[in-house]
Each structure stands twice: as structure tokens, then as C-alpha cells.
Amino acid sequence: MIILRKLIELVALCFILLTLTNVQGQIIKVTLLGTGTPLPVMERFGPSILIEAGEQKFLFDAGRGSLQRLMQINVKYREIQGVFFTHLHSDHVVGFPDLWLTGWLTGQRETPLLVWGPEGTKRMVSNLEKAFEFDIKFRISDDKASPNGVVIKAKDIKEGVVYEKDGVKITAFEVDHAPVKPAFGYRIDYAGRSVVLSGDTRRSENLIRYSKGVDLLIHEVASPDALARLKRPVERDKAIIAHHTTPEQAAEIFSLVKPKMAVYSHIVPSTATEQDIIPLTRKNYTGAVELGEDLMVIEVGEKIEIRRPVAKTNQNTLK
Ligand SMILES: [Zn+2]
Ligand SMILES: [Zn+2]
């Protein structure tokens, strides 16, 4: 009898533990695939962020090298349900044809890709389909690639909830990247966790409104000091700074939003160092803030855990 009771107690304990780990195990996993800008440097690839929530995987922007970065972390293109574009500046979309076509050909994708973005997204996608029509035809007839796997279902979106399925909710909100309009930031909600991605923006009241109390805020940043070191025409630098957010401005935003964790990505210019950005942020912000790097992983769960890549990000991963 005692043995039986002990056994029942043990089973009950296992059940409670399993339920607890199940709830606590629900996280949003964020991987910064590319933290750079148009500058073609090896250390910071083009802007692209992988979000994994439950079984679902999405990319936000597809800058230069997004497919290579996915391969480095062993995530297959065929596992990506869709791509959300923040705006259509080339640094955010230039990796897309490679992701889409090479991913399809080498990764045996057999299902359509969903794409969301501001007005102009559908048109860009249909123009890409025309531009690569020659290749697509031969890959299907000659290489026997799946005709379904190259299909893109693109949608031009407006501010509001743009996706909701199996507990994952994605909301687009307008940011201020004028004259580039519309430009979106995105908020991802899953299992009581939340992540906001700023996209490209100067200080935006709308972003502050949509981000209030978020667990993780990933914000862009531009360093006037690092731009000056590139010795380009001053007027050009001024225009760049006016389209983006300086570390001091970001500190104000973080103070208002009060995220559990703030991480910089889309570092303008890509050569800016931690010294250019973090001390200026610290002047007016005492909360947790980190400078993002390619392949950095941020797990948003009960706690927020950050893992930086051990090896150099430009290493060859082919075994
Ligand atoms: Zn950009
Ligand atoms: Zn931009």
C-alpha cells in the first residue's frame, strides 16, 4: 500500500513539474542574423532578425546574408513561415532574392512563403518573380524543384494586428523614417512575452506607445562620431542622422518605454563600436542595454537570457 501511495505521489509530482516546465518553457527566441546597414562589412550583415515562438518561425527583414546566417545556426529556409518587411530600403530587402531562390533550390522548400510589408511590397515581389522568371522555369523543369516552394503570397499591410495564429500575435505600427513612408516597427506577443522591433526610425512617439512595458525592445541606432570617422560629406552624415536615432535619443526612449532589456541592432554605420554607443546611452539610462551583434540570441522567458556567439561570425560553417 505504502509503495502504491508513494508511486501515485511520484506520478503527481512528475505531472506538476511537467506542467510547470511547459508554461515556463514558453519563450520567444530572437536571433539577430544581421545587425548592419548598407555598408558591406563582414562583421555585420544586412538587417534581418529571426523570431521563433512555439513552432513558428518568422524573419523580419532580409538584408544581405540572411540565408547564410540561417545556415550558420542550422535553421532551414523551409521552416520559415514568412517574412515581414519593415520598409523597402534596399539594405532590408537585398538578401531576399537569395533567401527565396537559393533557399528554395538548396533547401527543398515545398510550401509557399508568406510575405508582409508596407505598400509596394506586393509590387516588389511580383517584379522579382519577373526578374527571375528564367531561373525559376529551369529550376522546376530541369532541377525538379517544387513549383509550390517558389510561390510567394505577398500582402501590403497597414498599421494594426497583421498576424494571429496559435498564440502568436504580430502587430505592425508606423514609425518615423520620413520621407520613407510608410515604415513599420513590429510587436510580437506570445505566451505573455513581448518583443518590439523598431525597424528604421528617428524618435517615434508611436513606437513608444506600442512598446510600453515590453520585455525586449530592439532599437536601431546611429552614431554621429562613427559616421564622422568615415570622412564623408558632412551634409550626407547630417541627413543620415536625421533619419535615425542617436544613442542619447535612444536613452530617452528606453527611459519612457522601460523595457526589461534593450538591445541595439541596425548599427549606423556598421563600423560603430561599443564605445561609440553604450557610454552615451548610459548618461541618461540606467536600465539593461546591450549592443547587438550578428548571431546573438536573446531568449525572452521568465528571465531574459542573452547568448553571444563564441566563434567569429564570418567563419565558414560547412563541415
Ligand atoms: Zn536600414
Ligand atoms: Zn531605412
Side-chain angles (χ1 to χ4, degrees), residues 87 176-177 197-203 207 217-222 240-241 243-247 250 253-254 263-268:
H87 63 300
D176 185 1
H177 196 35
L197 313 175
S198 73
D200 285 15
T201 185
R202 56 174 70 85
R203 180 192 162 117
L207 175 137
L217 172 59
I218 298 188
H219 206 286
E220 68 119 90
V221 67
I240 293 174
I241 295 162
H243 285 62
H244 297 283
T245 307
T246 64
I253 296 164
F254 300 159
V263 173
Y264 284 123
S265 192
H266 194 278
I267 319 289
V268 186

Side-chain angles (χ1 to χ4, degrees), residues 74-271:
N74 206 20
V75 171
K76 310 270 181 286
Y77 168 67
R78 62 170 179 265
E79 298 167 23
I80 306 290
Q81 271 116 311
V83 178
F84 291 85
F85 289 119
T86 56
H87 63 300
L88 302 181
H89 259 152
S90 63
D91 52 324
H92 297 251
V93 300
V94 82
F96 182 76
D98 189 26
L99 174 84
W100 163 52
L101 293 167
T102 314
W104 166 57
L105 178 69
T106 62
Q108 287 112 47
R109 187 183 184 101
E110 293 181 357
T111 53
L113 180 74
L114 307 173
V115 169
W116 297 262
E119 193 185 334
T121 302
K122 262 181 95 153
R123 187 155 167 250
M124 180 186 74
V125 164
S126 99
N127 284 333
L128 282 173
E129 286 168 339
K130 282 188 205 118
F132 289 99
E133 175 180 74
F134 180 91
D135 175 77
I136 293 169
K137 198 174 79 187
F138 280 104
R139 296 303 182 190
I140 293 173
S141 64
D142 188 27
D143 296 279
K144 310 293 175 229
S146 157
N148 240 346
V150 76
V151 171
I152 303 175
K153 292 186 173 167
K155 202 171 169 186
D156 289 0
I157 55 168
K158 299 216 180 318
E159 178 167 287
V161 176
V162 289
Y163 178 89
E164 201 161 13
K165 199 179 167 196
D166 298 335
V168 178
K169 183 166 94 173
I170 299 173
T171 310
F173 58 88
E174 282 201 39
V175 290
D176 185 1
H177 196 35
V180 182
K181 251 173 114 58
F184 291 126
Y186 288 99
R187 179 181 171 120
I188 300 100
D189 286 279
Y190 172 67
R193 328 283 187 211
S194 52
V195 175
V196 162
L197 313 175
S198 73
D200 285 15
T201 185
R202 56 174 70 85
R203 180 192 162 117
S204 153
E205 296 305 320
N206 204 31
L207 175 137
I208 294 169
R209 199 160 40 240
Y210 274 89
S211 311
K212 277 276 163 68
V214 76
D215 291 322
L216 170 67
L217 172 59
I218 298 188
H219 206 286
E220 68 119 90
V221 67
S223 160
D225 294 344
L227 278 167
R229 284 202 300 272
L230 297 178
K231 299 199 186 319
R232 295 186 300 195
V234 177
E235 285 309 310
R236 205 177 149 191
D237 284 358
K238 271 192 189 159
I240 293 174
I241 295 162
H243 285 62
H244 297 283
T245 307
T246 64
E248 291 94 332
Q249 291 164 343
E252 281 175 31
I253 296 164
F254 300 159
S255 303
L256 291 165
V257 168
K258 299 186 176 49
K260 280 192 194 143
M261 170 70 67
V263 173
Y264 284 123
S265 192
H266 194 278
I267 319 289
V268 186
S270 306
T271 46

Side-chain angles (χ1 to χ4, degrees), residues 6 12-13 17 26 28 37 43 47 64 69 99 107 142 193 203-204 219 222 232 237 245 262 280 289:
K6 286 275 170 217
L13 187 68
L17 278 176
Q26 289 185 318
I28 304 179
T37 54
E43 295 75 19
R64 181 190 311 113
R69 288 290 189 237
L99 174 84
D142 188 27
R193 328 283 187 211
R203 180 192 162 117
S204 153
H219 206 286
R232 295 186 300 195
D237 284 358
T245 307
L280 290 175
V289 56

